[in-house]
Amino acid sequence: LAKTTQPISMDSYEGQEVNITCSHNNIATNDYITWYQQFPSQGPRFIIQGYKTKVTNEVASLFIPADRKSSTLSLPRVSLSDTAVYYCLVGLTGTASKLTFGTGTRLQVTL
Amino acid sequence: GAVVSQHPSRVICKSGTSVKIECRSLDFQATTMFWYRQFPKQSLMLMATSNEGSKATYEQGVEKDKFLINHASLTLSTLTVTSAHPEDSSFYICSAGRTDTQYFGPGTRLTVL
């Protein structure tokens, strides 16, 4: 499973756009990139998943360059409730595919 | 998204007792579920893969006789922590996959006194 590297922590003010970059130099051809959000004492919540280029949903955007060795999660206009840990995972999709969590990025949003 | 539930959400027990945690996929069937453990301020660590109708697969370093996993139906997996000790106190989280995405339960906080 590809190893991922993310910043340990980030700070942002409410209303700003936040971009969290994840490095995954050893990503395999069939690997997908998935981001999860976790609040304290809760299970991770799926945010977005992609394979290449750009993916957007109602919550976030995911940018993946052509070489796929990194990806950027973009959160538009964050609010205090976006304070959480964000995990970038790389691996096969499918119901039987194991996920390996890295350290994650602790995002702190303040007024 | 798909819903995965866990029960109980919180449990406190005495050292030496056994505790069972349930993980259910509420609106889909899951032949495979996963169990994770998370210590404070740390990331999730995969403990084992729960397979419906067959034995679970444990990650290296996880004691299979201590963490018993039963996946008796397509919507239910259970994790039993046998003879729990204070060092087993942790946040236990399960996940189940639906199409291409893993969905996680809300977690179970285990405290062993």
Side-chain angles (χ1 to χ4, degrees):
Chain A
L1 296 172
K3 180 180 178 181
T4 60
T5 303
Q6 305 174 232
I8 295 297
S9 64
M10 295 181 68
D11 295 310
S12 177
Y13 292 109
E14 198 174 39
Q16 291 187 326
E17 177 184 78
V18 171
N19 296 309
I20 306 174
T21 298
C22 178
S23 296
H24 28 80
N25 293 318
N26 297 323
I27 188 170
T29 302
N30 295 328
D31 286 342
Y32 279 70
I33 301 156
T34 310
W35 286 79
Y36 286 87
Q37 174 193 55
Q38 187 182 29
F39 297 111
S41 296
Q42 294 186 28
R45 182 176 75 101
F46 172 82
I47 301 175
I48 198 165
Q49 182 181 78
Y51 183 79
K52 62 180 180 180
T53 62
K54 177 183 176 182
V55 180
T56 298
N57 60 23
E58 64 278 4
V59 177
S61 294
L62 178 59
F63 299 91
I64 307 169
D67 66 6
R68 302 199 329 122
K69 293 185 182 299
S70 67
S71 60
T72 299
L73 173 72
S74 181
L75 305 172
R77 299 183 60 78
V78 294
S79 64
L80 296 176
S81 62
D82 293 317
T83 295
V85 178
Y86 293 82
Y87 293 98
C88 161
L89 289 89
V90 173
L92 298 175
T93 59
T95 59
S97 297
K98 295 194 289 188
L99 296 178
T100 299
F101 281 79
T103 57
T105 297
R106 190 172 299 273
L107 174 64
Q108 179 69 52
V109 181
T110 57
L111 291 173
Chain B
V3 179
V4 176
S5 71
Q6 284 184 239
H7 178 79
S9 59
R10 184 183 297 269
V11 57
I12 301 173
C13 69
K14 293 182 179 180
S15 183
T17 61
S18 295
V19 174
K20 179 184 287 187
I21 303 170
E22 295 184 347
C23 176
R24 295 181 185 273
S25 54
L26 297 183
D27 53 357
F28 64 101
Q29 295 181 333
T31 56
T32 304
M33 292 184 178
F34 298 94
W35 286 95
Y36 296 80
R37 181 167 53 180
Q38 185 175 34
F39 293 106
K41 302 295 185 183
Q42 294 187 22
S43 184
L44 284 75
M45 182 178 69
L46 179 65
M47 298 175 65
T49 303
S50 174
N51 303 301
E52 189 269 333
S54 64
K55 291 182 179 180
T57 305
Y58 292 82
E59 296 299 302
Q60 189 173 8
V62 178
E63 300 175 57
K64 58 183 65 177
D65 293 332
K66 181 167 187 63
F67 299 99
L68 301 180
I69 292 173
N70 186 356
H71 196 150
S73 78
L74 288 172
T75 60
L76 174 64
S77 173
T78 61
L79 168 69
T80 300
V81 183
T82 62
S83 185
H85 291 286
E87 58 265 30
D88 299 320
S89 297
S90 188
F91 192 53
Y92 292 86
I93 309 170
C94 69
S95 76
R98 183 179 187 181
T99 57
D100 293 333
T101 304
Q102 285 290 323
Y103 294 94
F104 289 81
T108 297
R109 174 77 58 192
L110 171 63
T111 302
V112 185
L113 302 177

